[in-house]
């Protein structure tokens, strides 16, 4: 589906144009066309391939989707893939944006994502001195918008981790529930990590060293994106390490609780063993046994059992087993 198709010249918007007129505007000097598609059909991509002269391998990747973040060069054009990440009912989901960039055009293809880029276009149009840099600046603006949306997600992950830690050490909830929440958090962390790490490598190719011609004037901006991704990657590593530690602590606390229960069961078993031992001895029906015919034998036996059991209970209580 076509979202918009706009022509720009010298950093200023000319007009919204029909798709069939794209090739005419591409011929004008200092003019570039910015097109946005959402979940396009193969026919729509075929039209864009013809209008912009897109490389068939890049079009194939954009049509299939499910690509890892990357940056590829095709002659004087670039093809970038970035992952959009968003929360849907406490579950982290990811979409995809494929961006075709040439000297006089930008084509963004958004898939499986409810997050649009109308704000990015409005921001670029408010800064004509930057938009004058051409398609390289638009590429920066699109990727920067995606990366900026990662920060609230990682803030949410850190907040969830702190909440789980409070539950673990505060004794709230079953430890099994805490472990399940930790693994859910770990899965969400991996979703964001799979979006950040490959993109960080791609952004590293757009500043310093050999930089593609399209990004030469905007490499300082791409350096800023790279720095943001480095910060996010560092926080993700911290979250991942903390999750691993929290899982180990939770399992250790479960083992400690089980050990306490086993100690209590062993203590009560030892106390009741007193009754079993005494009853076993006095329950032997030999003809000649002490206290067998003594009228106070039964009360004396019960008293002895209770006294020994109470003594053992006090010893276990003092030892911390009960």
């Amino acid at each position: 589906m076509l979202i918009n198709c706009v022509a720009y010249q010298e950093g200023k918007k000319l007009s919204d144009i029909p798709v069939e007129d794209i090739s005419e505007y591409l011929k004008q000097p200092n003019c570039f066309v910015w097109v946005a598609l959402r979940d396009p059909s193969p026919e729509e991509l075929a039209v864009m391939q013809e209008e912009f002269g897109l490389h068939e391998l890049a079009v194939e990747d954009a049509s299939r989707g499910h690509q890892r973040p990357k940056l590829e060069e095709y002659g004087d054009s670039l093809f970038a893939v970035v992952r959009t990440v968003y929360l849907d009912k406490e579950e982290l989901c990811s979409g995809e944006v494929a961006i075709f960039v040439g000297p006089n055009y930008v084509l963004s293809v958004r898939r499986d994502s409810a997050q649009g880029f109308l704000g990015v276009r409005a921001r670029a149009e408010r800064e004509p001195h930057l938009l004058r840099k051409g398609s390289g600046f638009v590429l920066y603006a699109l990727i920067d918008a995606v990366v900026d949306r990662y920060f609230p997600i990682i803030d949410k992950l850190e907040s969830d981790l702190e909440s789980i830690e409070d539950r673990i050490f505060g004794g709230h909830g079953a430890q099994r529930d805490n472990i399940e929440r930790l693994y859910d958090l770990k899965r969400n962390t991996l979703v964001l990590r799979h979006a950040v790490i490959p993109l960080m490598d791609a952004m590293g190719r757009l500043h310093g060293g050999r930089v593609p011609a399209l990004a030469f004037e905007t490499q300082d901006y791409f350096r800023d994106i790279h720095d943001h991704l480095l910060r996010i990657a560092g926080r993700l590593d911290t979250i991942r390490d903390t999750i691993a530690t929290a899982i180990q602590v939770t399992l250790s606390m479960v083992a400690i609780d089980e050990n306490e229960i086993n100690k209590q069961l062993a203590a009560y078993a030892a106390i009741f063993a007193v009754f079993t031992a005494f009853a076993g001895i006095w329950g032997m029906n030999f003809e000649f046994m002490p206290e067998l015919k003594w009228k106070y034998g039964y009360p004396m036996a019960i008293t002895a059992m209770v006294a020994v059991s109470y003594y053992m209970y006090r010893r276990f209580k003092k030892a911390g087993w009960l």
Side-chain angles (χ1 to χ4, degrees):
M1 180 176 69
L2 179 67
I3 303 299
N4 42 43
C5 179
V6 183
Y8 297 88
Q9 191 171 38
E10 293 293 340
K12 297 180 180 180
K13 178 179 177 179
L14 292 179
S15 64
D16 295 299
I17 62 174
V19 173
E20 55 270 17
D21 291 346
I22 289 177
S23 56
E24 295 300 322
Y25 279 89
L26 294 179
K27 297 176 183 177
Q28 297 184 23
N30 300 320
C31 181
F32 76 92
V33 178
W34 182 356
V35 181
L37 300 177
R38 176 183 177 184
D39 298 317
S41 64
E43 292 76 16
E44 288 177 307
L45 280 179
V47 171
M48 294 299 166
Q49 181 180 7
E50 181 178 355
E51 291 290 334
F52 293 120
L54 306 176
H55 197 282
E56 58 182 5
L57 294 179
V59 174
E60 182 180 356
D61 287 344
S63 62
R64 288 182 176 180
H66 304 291
Q67 303 291 316
R68 70 190 298 270
K70 61 182 179 179
L71 178 71
E72 295 177 343
E73 294 185 58
Y74 294 98
D76 60 350
S77 64
L78 296 175
F79 174 66
V81 177
V82 294
R83 304 291 297 180
T84 58
V85 181
Y86 59 96
L87 280 171
D88 182 16
K89 297 179 180 179
E90 298 300 321
E91 182 178 355
L92 207 61
C93 304
S94 64
E96 181 179 308
V97 180
I99 308 172
F100 300 84
V101 185
N104 53 359
Y105 68 85
V106 177
L107 169 64
S108 64
V109 180
R110 175 162 53 100
R111 290 188 179 277
D112 303 324
S113 177
Q115 296 178 322
F117 294 96
L118 292 178
V120 178
R121 186 182 293 272
R123 170 201 169 188
E125 291 176 355
R126 289 195 303 267
E127 300 174 327
H129 62 289
L130 295 176
L131 194 56
R132 191 176 292 113
K133 296 179 182 293
S135 55
F137 174 76
V138 176
L139 174 63
Y140 154 75
L142 290 171
I143 298 178
D144 183 60
V146 172
V147 173
D148 284 345
R149 292 169 183 173
Y150 292 161
F151 283 99
I153 300 297
I154 197 168
D155 290 340
K156 178 69 165 53
L157 295 178
E158 291 175 336
S159 177
D160 290 344
L161 181 56
E162 291 176 0
S163 174
I164 297 174
E165 287 180 322
D166 291 340
R167 288 170 57 90
I168 292 173
F169 295 105
H172 304 297
Q175 297 294 14
R176 179 185 180 90
D177 293 339
N178 291 333
I179 291 178
E180 289 179 353
R181 292 184 65 186
L182 284 170
Y183 273 99
D184 289 340
L185 184 61
K186 184 177 182 180
R187 181 174 61 251
N188 290 339
T189 302
L190 287 176
V191 171
L192 184 55
R193 183 177 176 82
H194 289 161
V196 169
I197 300 303
L199 182 59
M200 185 169 59
D201 295 337
M203 291 300 99
R205 297 169 52 191
L206 294 178
H207 68 88
R210 179 191 172 276
V211 177
L214 287 173
F216 186 78
E217 291 188 17
T218 53
Q219 57 180 313
D220 291 339
Y221 297 93
F222 289 111
R223 182 187 297 111
D224 183 64
I225 293 179
H226 190 258
D227 290 341
H228 289 172
L229 291 171
L230 281 174
R231 288 167 50 196
I232 295 174
R235 294 171 67 180
L236 286 173
D237 288 340
T238 300
I239 292 175
R240 184 177 60 175
D241 294 342
T242 306
I243 289 174
T245 302
I247 291 175
Q248 293 299 321
V249 169
T250 303
L251 294 176
S252 298
M253 294 180 69
V254 170
I256 291 172
D257 291 341
E258 291 179 349
N259 186 47
E260 292 295 324
I261 293 173
N262 290 334
K263 286 178 7 179
Q264 292 178 4
L265 292 175
Y268 283 117
I271 292 173
F272 282 104
V274 173
F275 290 88
T276 303
F278 278 93
I281 293 173
W282 280 314
M284 296 185 294
N285 295 320
F286 290 108
E287 183 176 356
F288 302 102
M289 286 187 63
E291 300 91 21
L292 189 61
K293 296 184 180 297
W294 184 34
K295 73 174 184 176
Y296 297 110
Y298 178 74
M300 183 275 293
I302 295 299
T303 302
M305 293 180 189
V306 172
V308 175
S309 298
Y310 180 73
Y311 171 75
M312 295 184 66
Y313 174 81
R314 294 291 298 175
R315 291 296 303 270
F316 284 127
K317 189 77 172 177
K318 187 176 181 179
W321 283 42
L322 292 174

